[in-house]
Amino acid sequence: MNNRGDRFLLQCKVNYFKGITPSNPINYQDLDYQLLIDIGMEYLNGNEIEEFANLFRESQYFVSLWAAHIIYDYGNPDNRLKKECLEVIKDYSEHPLNSKISEEETAWIKLHQDEFRNFK
């Protein structure tokens, strides 16, 4: 599978079923976690941040959440895109069907409250 987008989607699915989520520090060293970061970095290093941000439209397997975190943490986004990332993260912090992801994203927002406050 050579297409980055397909690889990213497939790895999000793998991570979803393994319970690997973007804001759980326990997972940061996991190979499957790192694979998603690496694929995201391919977009960012190729100056394709806007193309990568198109993944915000994908709702399955936390794809939009992974993309938002990778862009925010590694992509040096402009203010418009940074705000979009934070909106995706905020939406997941209020996720009514998945309390684990809601708690993790709420904790992430708390850790980044100064930046988050600037973009509300």
Side-chain angles (χ1 to χ4, degrees), residues 8-66:
F8 191 81
L9 293 173
L10 180 60
Q11 191 60 50
C12 284
K13 183 178 180 179
V14 168
N15 286 9
Y16 178 86
F17 286 110
K18 286 186 170 185
I20 299 170
T21 54
S23 293
N24 188 339
I26 292 171
N27 299 319
Y28 291 171
Q29 300 305 314
D30 191 286
L31 178 61
D32 289 309
Y33 185 99
Q34 289 302 316
L35 281 171
L36 270 181
I37 302 301
D38 292 345
I39 297 167
M41 292 303 295
E42 289 177 26
Y43 280 99
L44 301 176
N45 291 335
N47 293 319
E48 298 172 289
I49 195 169
E50 291 295 331
E51 181 181 337
F52 191 48
N54 286 332
L55 292 170
F56 290 169
R57 297 184 190 121
E58 180 59 52
S59 59
Q60 286 187 309
Y61 309 119
F62 305 136
V63 170
S64 58
L65 183 61
W66 278 104

